[in-house]
């Protein structure tokens, strides 16, 4: 039923252009996980996923890691019905662990203007971790307002509004197993 619904979404909605298939996403995640596992082989690591968009990416990524990790979550306010960031980012729910002295990787769904991730990294750094790196599913660079380079990037696009695999438009499409560009 769910499969049929998902097929009909892609078939009957011509404005959804495929960007990454399930298989392509998994391939890229395997290679990212290999890189992270090698980089933190002799270190403790805490992954902090940004809700809600990164929930699927995190769950696939952690299952490919070959090192022990701790996991936490942080939730930031979203665009609401709009499709662009206003720079006024609020923390809806903060992390529950003490990150002092720890190696952190923030797991984020997408970096667009760069405002959200810049503010989040500054917030985490103020809590005294050993270091903070960023792993992002989609690096979308055309609208960047603050220079920001993620340490681990699953896929890069120039522009578009992407949905699926955790990414939403007004809370819809997060459950799609692949990533699409939603044409308006
Ligand atoms: P930034 O502050 O402009 O970098 O926006 C980052 C946040 O906006 C991301 O964490 C997403 O939640 C959301 N966002 C930006 N672009 C897209 C997109 O193409 N699809 C879905 N969400 C997006
Ligand atoms: Mg987000």
């Amino acid at each position: 039923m769910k499969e049929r619904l998902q097929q009909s979404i892609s078939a009957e909605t011509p404005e959804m252009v495929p960007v990454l298939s399930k298989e392509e996403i998994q391939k890229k995640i395997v290679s990212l996980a290999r890189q992270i596992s090698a980089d933190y082989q002799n270190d403790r690591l805490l992954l902090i996923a940004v809700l809600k968009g990164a929930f699927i990416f995190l769950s696939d990524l952690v299952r490919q890691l070959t090192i022990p990790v701790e996991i936490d979550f942080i939730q930031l306010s979203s665009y609401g019905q709009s499709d662009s960031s206003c720079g006024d980012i609020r923390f809806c729910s903060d992390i529950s662990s003490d990150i002092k002295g720890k190696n952190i990787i923030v797991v984020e769904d997408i970096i667009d203007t760069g405002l959200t991730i810049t503010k989040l990294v500054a917030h985490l750094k103020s809590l005294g971790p050993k270091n903070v790196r960023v792993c992002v599913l989609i690096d979308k660079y055309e609208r960047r307002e603050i220079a920001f380079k993620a340490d681990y990037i699953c896929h890069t696009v120039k522009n578009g509004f992407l949905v699926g695999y955790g990414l939403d438009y007004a809370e819809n499409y997060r459950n799609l197993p692949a990533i699409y560009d939603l044409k308006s």
Side-chain angles (χ1 to χ4, degrees):
M1 172 65 187
K2 197 173 159 206
E3 190 89 330
R4 243 187 303 139
L5 178 66
Q6 282 166 354
Q7 275 168 6
S8 72
I9 287 173
S10 8
E12 290 166 18
T13 318
E15 68 272 33
M16 300 231 318
V17 178
V19 172
L20 276 183
S21 69
K22 292 200 263 199
E23 293 74 21
E24 287 166 329
I25 296 170
Q26 292 311 316
K27 237 178 166 174
K28 283 168 179 265
I29 286 179
V30 165
S31 127
L32 269 187
R34 203 170 287 150
Q35 220 181 315
I36 294 172
S37 300
D39 291 351
Y40 291 87
Q41 209 167 17
N42 303 310
D43 255 326
R44 293 184 61 83
L45 177 60
L46 169 65
L47 297 177
I48 300 179
V50 185
L51 294 173
K52 302 173 193 169
F55 79 109
I56 298 179
F57 180 39
L58 174 84
S59 65
D60 280 345
L61 181 68
V62 292
R63 284 177 291 176
Q64 295 298 331
L65 294 173
T66 55
I67 51 167
V69 284
E70 289 174 54
I71 294 167
D72 206 342
F73 296 92
I74 193 165
Q75 184 163 16
L76 308 177
S77 61
S78 72
Y79 294 170
Q81 302 295 309
S82 158
D83 73 350
S84 63
S85 181
C86 59
D88 174 25
I89 294 126
R90 276 159 296 150
F91 296 96
C92 299
S93 140
D94 210 340
I95 44 171
S96 58
S97 36
D98 181 6
I99 66 169
K100 210 166 276 165
K102 289 187 180 168
N103 296 301
I104 308 294
I105 295 183
V106 177
V107 180
E108 173 62 307
D109 57 355
I110 182 161
I111 300 176
D112 183 14
T113 63
L115 296 169
T116 306
I117 195 68
T118 302
K119 183 161 179 185
L120 174 56
V121 168
H123 167 67
L124 294 174
K125 282 188 172 165
S126 76
L127 302 175
K130 187 170 166 195
N131 64 59
V132 179
R133 286 185 179 158
V134 172
C135 175
V136 70
L137 175 65
I138 303 287
D139 181 14
K140 185 170 77 174
Y141 60 85
E142 191 181 56
R143 296 203 299 186
R144 199 72 105 243
E145 289 178 28
I146 302 182
F148 191 94
K149 183 96 181 73
D151 304 274
Y152 304 97
I153 299 169
C154 194
H155 187 66
T156 302
V157 296
K158 184 174 178 193
N159 51 28
F161 196 85
L162 307 194
V163 296
Y165 196 73
L167 294 161
D168 76 308
Y169 176 65
E171 294 301 327
N172 288 295
Y173 309 112
R174 290 195 198 276
N175 60 313
L176 299 181
I179 298 175
Y180 301 87
D181 188 348
L182 189 66
K183 303 286 184 191
S184 49

